[in-house]
Amino acid sequence: DLFAANVNTTGIFNAGVGVQYSGLGYTTQANDTLNLISARLLLRAAGPATVNSIANLGQAVQALQALNPAITDANAPIDPS
């Protein structure tokens, strides 16, 4: 379970721990926080209608892309190094 796998960490979850929520699976990554994991799972569970209803999301995504030109594939895994 997620808590048992991370009981000895200091504020950061262990990478590689599987999390299940409402039939969705997620494997924790280095430097994940509980808020980040929760947001990812809840938005995936809520579906596209919820994501599309977030005000100004498109502009925020474009701003992040402009600030990070080295990211050419938004779906590629993030290198934690």
Side-chain angles (χ1 to χ4, degrees):
D1 104 324
L2 185 62
F3 177 77
N6 292 283
V7 71
N8 293 319
T9 60
T10 55
I12 297 174
F13 289 101
N14 290 329
V17 176
V19 179
Q20 297 293 318
Y21 174 77
S22 288
L24 298 172
Y26 176 72
T27 301
T28 57
Q29 306 297 308
N31 299 317
D32 271 353
T33 63
L34 183 57
N35 287 342
L36 181 60
I37 295 167
S38 299
R40 286 178 173 163
L41 289 172
L42 290 172
L43 284 173
R44 285 179 58 202
T50 300
V51 174
N52 292 333
S53 71
I54 298 173
N56 302 316
L57 181 60
Q59 293 91 330
V61 169
Q62 289 176 354
L64 285 169
Q65 288 174 328
L67 292 169
N68 295 281
I71 299 174
T72 57
D73 180 1
N75 296 313
I78 297 172
D79 180 4
S81 59

